Amino acid sequence: MPWSRLFRRFLRCHLLALAALVPPCANPAMARPAGLLEPSLHVAPGAKAAPQVAVTLDACMGQTDQRILDTLLAENIKATIFVTARWIRSNPQAVSVLKSRPDLFEVENHGENHVPPIDRPLSVYGIAAAGSPEAVAREVSGGAEAIIAAGFPAPRWFRGATALYTPSSMAQIRAMGFEIAGFSINGDSGSLLGANAAEKQFEHARDGDVLIAHINQPTHAAGEGVAAGLKALKARGLRFVLLKEAPLPRSPAPEAPGSVSALHPKAVSY
Ligand SMILES: [Zn+2]
């Protein structure tokens, strides 16, 4: 092989390897604004012989990923589904499936319109935040009202769009009577991972972990990996618990803005 071709191949391989290491948020336009919190959450560990995890799936808007919903049903895997009013309106069939299996599915609050519950005007990952305490209140209560109107029990947990908050918006949401649903393993990075990468994220789950992934992106490759990852967790013998079954969190640690890692944030840990 001529040297020029060898050099081109070397360059291509190394540039590709380098690109794979750059996180999507390396683009400054997509960086997370300073001072926001991404709370983490664990459930109580199970008995030694029965490790347990909580699977939480966001239904932000759009459609339903049947690959995931069918897997949950076929494998009898419990999951807590965070829905918005928008998703409820456009997915009546999936809503009735969720309603028909309260033993498997817990439905909790992901807000009314998928607006980040941040009480100052800014944009997060390209989405405009609520911008004021009044708008945060509308997003939270609008989501809860839609869940109740659809015939589900009143929600007790809230997870906002982008799962980011300010310390004051977290206090406000708690004062409205909701626990804030963080997570400990990001299973699909906003449904943007490839199938293999999402499956690998699920492999990281250990006793007490709370996984997050998305159930509203049927055209994304990530959903295939999430479905495979769920089956693999079950095959490993892990038990699945709903958030409502998990012991309530102890008093949260003092909340300090900034310097939280994307995968294992430490600012707020139960
Ligand atoms: Zn969402």
Side-chain angles (χ1 to χ4, degrees):
M1 187 180 290
W3 278 107
S4 58
R5 262 179 75 189
L6 266 176
F7 181 68
R8 278 204 305 275
R9 176 182 283 189
F10 170 87
L11 209 60
R12 194 168 60 238
C13 290
H14 282 73
L15 285 177
L16 280 175
L18 198 64
L21 292 174
V22 177
C25 57
N27 175 352
M30 298 295 280
R32 178 194 306 170
L36 299 183
L37 299 172
E38 186 180 71
S40 99
L41 180 67
H42 286 85
V43 293
K48 199 174 177 191
Q52 60 188 17
V53 294
V55 174
T56 66
L57 299 169
D58 290 359
C60 310
M61 57 186 89
Q63 298 172 291
T64 303
D65 190 334
Q66 285 299 142
R67 296 167 297 183
I68 299 174
L69 187 57
D70 291 346
T71 300
L72 297 169
L73 289 163
E75 302 284 332
N76 265 311
I77 292 174
K78 292 181 178 183
T80 303
I81 318 285
F82 282 86
V83 303
T84 63
R86 281 171 76 168
W87 184 86
I88 287 177
R89 275 199 300 277
S90 49
N91 290 271
Q93 208 177 337
V95 164
S96 38
V97 171
L98 298 183
K99 243 190 309 194
S100 70
R101 293 297 305 272
D103 56 321
L104 274 192
F105 302 123
E106 171 184 359
V107 169
E108 297 288 355
N109 189 357
H110 197 35
E112 182 176 24
N113 289 315
H114 208 250
V115 174
I118 294 163
D119 48 5
R120 53 190 165 93
L122 49 78
S123 149
V124 192
Y125 306 139
I127 310 177
S132 68
E134 294 73 24
V136 169
R138 273 199 303 278
E139 173 72 0
V140 176
S141 58
E145 285 158 15
I147 288 170
I148 294 165
F152 294 104
R156 292 175 56 211
W157 290 86
F158 178 80
R159 172 184 291 146
T162 72
L164 293 170
Y165 312 81
T166 56
S168 50
S169 74
M170 290 183 74
Q172 180 188 356
I173 294 161
R174 288 191 177 120
M176 292 175 73
F178 294 94
E179 299 290 344
I180 293 178
F183 56 90
S184 63
I185 293 189
N186 192 337
D188 67 354
S189 285
S191 187
L192 296 176
L193 293 184
N196 288 341
E199 189 175 350
K200 276 221 148 33
Q201 286 299 99
F202 274 68
E203 278 173 24
H204 293 141
R206 299 288 177 268
D207 197 10
D209 270 321
V210 175
L211 292 126
I212 181 177
H214 289 76
I215 193 168
N216 66 315
Q217 298 285 7
T219 61
H220 289 196
E224 187 189 326
V226 170
L230 288 167
K231 281 189 215 169
L233 290 185
K234 186 175 178 190
R236 259 172 59 192
L238 284 164
R239 282 184 61 233
F240 298 92
V241 291
L242 302 172
L243 289 186
K244 69 180 180 187
E245 299 170 336
L248 279 181
R250 297 187 303 276
S251 296
E255 290 155 11
S259 70
V260 288
S261 81
L263 196 59
H264 288 288
K266 294 282 187 277
V268 184
S269 189
Y270 297 122

